[in-house]
Amino acid sequence: MARILDGKAIQQQILEELKPRIARLAAARRPPGLAAVLVGENPASQIYVASKVKTCRELGMHSEELRLPEATTTEELLERIEQYNEREDIDGILVQMPLPKQIDSRRVLLAIRPEKDVDGFHPFNVGQLVANAPAPRACTPAGVMELLRRSGIEVAGAEAVVVGRSDIVGKPMALLLMHAHATVTICHSRTRDLPAVCRRADILIAAMGRPAFLTAEFIRPGAVVIDVGINRITDRAEAERIARGAPAKLAAFEKNGSVLVGDVHPGDVAELASAYTPVPGGVGPLTIAMLMANTVECAEKRLG
Ligand code: NDP
């Protein structure tokens, strides 16, 4: 039986460990503060931001959510970021991606002061990651590393294969695994014979955004499989394909008219892996936990 790596339980551990640090800051000076900026009406982004703000509040941190209209210009957004850069009581600034098309995302990322960049996307912090120097790390890959560490999965010396090379997941993921002494292969849409490369993996990380794409032929028996993907399925035929060996997925589809799945086939991974993360309840909760951890750390640095 494959072991299910319970992201929610590990999230709770991390949040519990943050509480005394938040209390110390609150007693000495003030609680850590996070500003979350949401531009437009993307429903998934609204849910993500609401859940981040809620978690902050549950932990006793200060958090504010700034909602701006879809038609916001780059200049208008930069002005609001500058205000947060200047505010003493804000330690972390998060701009929820993706931004509407008219906004220059790169200028926005560059505008956030690196010491308040709790998403770890500022080029300075990316450079620090490449150099393995301290700085806020991108939350999702950092969350995967915490999950591996706290689940007792040996990374040093392991063959790790990362499928996906985005700036927010695949690339930082590969760098973190390399710094933890894995032998890392990065795959993407031009990789030749993806199944064969994936089957080399002791640790397989899927970050593609392709529902249940990685099926049995991609998974080496006994591998640890980390599924970063979050895809909402609304098509019945697709739900039935995915539900092979994972009937709960079809039941969820019947009930809600849609179902969340990762990039890995849930039935196949349960049969072949030694351990794996479910979707939902795997990597997602860790992303929020690491955002909280980054905010606390930024506050500790700023407040000395
Ligand atoms: P992107 O779309 O930016 O990147 C996807 C990557 O997957 C690209 O590098 C792409 O290759 C590669 N890819 C796509 N199709 C294939 C294929 N058929 N074969 C090989 N490689 C392929 O996605 P993100 O990195 O932003 O997100 C990935 C997934 O993770 C999404 O499902 C997203 O929702 C989820 N996510 C989950 C988070 C969480 O908290 N759990 C947080 C962030 C993201 P190429 O570069 O060649 O185009």
Side-chain angles (χ1 to χ4, degrees), residues 48 140 163-166 168-170 187-190 194 207-210 213 228-231 263 283-284 287:
Y48 293 147
T140 301
V163 190
R165 58 175 166 183
S166 71
I168 63 168
V169 189
C187 301
H188 44 76
S189 62
R190 305 283 187 92
L194 186 65
M208 319 165 67
R210 298 273 181 271
F213 190 96
V228 179
I230 303 177
N231 312 285
D263 292 343
V283 175
T287 300

Side-chain angles (χ1 to χ4, degrees), residues 276-287:
Y276 69 99
T277 55
V279 178
V283 175
L286 269 302
T287 300

